[in-house]
Amino acid sequence: MTKEVFIAGPCVIESAELLDTVAQELVKINKELDVEIIFKASFDKANRTSIHSFRGPGIDNGLKMLGDVKEKYGLRILTDIHEAWQAEKAAEVCDVLQIPAFLCRQTDLLVAAAQTGKIVNIKKAQFLSGRDMVYPVQKANDSGAKEVWLTERGNTFGYNNLVVDFRNIPDMKEIVPTVIMDCTHSVQRPSAGNGKTVGDRKFVPAMAKAAKAFGATGYFFEVHPDPDKGLSDAANMLELAKLKSLIEELKR
């Protein structure tokens, strides 16, 4: 039986203090619930709606900060990469390299991530079905990937909205054993907030529980101690204080 995967952290690296706050809580939850939450944060949000939106500290400073989290707290690290040249540098620090949904068919990006030997987590594009993900996985596997995960994050539904077809989860489990539900990006309303993505975090727990009913083997949560003050995906991030109880419920 595949062990459940939990991934959590702020959408983007805002400060070292934020990373410490979140990491300390993840360590506490790991110990109390006997789980392993992988720490997630982005060094660059290269696909923000507006050019004026906060993107993060960049790859060099960002990876240094993620490396500090790994060294201080002993957490495994996940971050996303947007260009093939970033894979090798990110792999020096990170245990899991994530391919953003918009880029999941970018062959050079998949090949570069696979060749690092790290776990490759490919997020399903908003314009693809679960079954379509056999081809990105094939690109990674044929390039030497040791382990590939897939992540569901909803599909485009008309303008400025997403819908989750939970049938994608069992469909993707026919491709790889580890299929993760992105419980926070799936509640987005892309570009619906005057040049930024908005959404509704109150649906995050329901997304997680529905995904479990469909056989998900992992859960991805963007969390923040004060989400409304977050510099990216503020409307969708889960309050850090609510993460433990939700994981407890999923484990039951």
Side-chain angles (χ1 to χ4, degrees):
M1 182 178 179
T2 302
K3 184 178 179 181
E4 283 186 313
V5 174
F6 293 97
I7 301 163
C11 180
V12 67
I13 299 172
E14 299 176 15
S15 66
E17 291 74 22
L18 173 64
L19 300 190
D20 282 333
T21 298
V22 175
Q24 288 165 10
E25 179 64 14
L26 299 192
V27 169
K28 181 181 175 184
I29 296 172
N30 282 343
K31 183 177 180 180
E32 293 179 358
L33 301 185
D34 190 27
V35 295
E36 185 206 3
I37 306 173
I38 298 169
F39 185 94
K40 179 270 170 186
S42 299
F43 57 78
D44 180 17
K45 301 300 292 184
N47 56 355
R48 295 300 302 274
T49 301
S50 170
I51 196 169
H52 303 294
S53 297
F54 179 75
R55 287 182 54 168
I59 188 167
D60 292 325
N61 289 335
L63 288 176
K64 182 180 184 304
M65 295 164 79
L66 291 173
D68 290 343
V69 168
K70 186 173 189 175
E71 183 178 350
K72 285 195 288 185
Y73 301 104
L75 295 165
R76 285 200 290 168
I77 305 292
L78 176 151
T79 200
D80 36 9
I81 57 174
H82 295 82
E83 299 181 63
W85 66 267
Q86 296 175 341
E88 188 174 356
K89 294 188 75 168
E92 294 174 3
V93 172
C94 301
D95 304 276
V96 185
L97 300 183
Q98 183 165 275
I99 307 300
F102 284 130
L103 302 177
C104 75
R105 296 202 301 188
Q106 295 295 103
T107 302
D108 291 345
L109 185 62
L110 290 162
V111 169
Q115 289 177 343
T116 66
K118 301 295 183 176
I119 297 169
V120 181
N121 182 34
I122 309 173
K123 300 185 80 171
K124 181 186 71 61
Q126 298 90 328
F127 49 84
L128 295 179
S129 73
R131 291 179 179 177
D132 292 330
M133 294 305 292
V134 67
Y135 302 107
V137 170
Q138 185 180 58
K139 290 178 182 181
N141 284 338
D142 287 356
S143 303
K146 294 182 178 179
E147 186 172 354
V148 179
W149 301 346
L150 289 175
T151 294
E152 166 63 33
R153 53 95 72 242
N155 283 80
T156 301
F157 184 67
Y159 295 96
N160 306 122
N161 212 346
L162 297 173
V163 66
V164 177
D165 182 349
F166 288 97
R167 295 173 297 180
N168 285 326
I169 292 171
D171 283 347
M172 290 193 291
K173 283 181 71 178
E174 294 181 6
I175 304 170
V176 296
T178 301
V179 175
I180 295 162
M181 182 67 207
D182 183 340
C183 305
T184 41
H185 286 98
S186 59
V187 303
Q188 287 180 336
R189 295 190 62 207
S191 305
N194 296 319
K196 66 179 182 179
T197 291
V198 293
D200 196 339
R201 72 175 66 92
K202 74 180 181 183
F203 294 115
V204 169
M207 287 290 184
K209 286 179 276 189
K212 186 176 182 71
F214 276 85
T217 56
Y219 308 91
F220 177 110
F221 303 103
E222 288 190 331
V223 296
H224 194 287
D226 190 353
D228 288 331
K229 294 182 179 178
L231 300 182
S232 177
D233 265 357
N236 310 300
M237 284 192 287
L238 182 70
E239 297 94 334
L240 181 61
K242 294 183 178 180
L243 180 62
K244 180 185 174 184
S245 61
L246 180 52
I247 291 178
E248 280 184 302
E249 194 168 356
L250 290 169
K251 280 175 63 67
R252 287 197 298 269

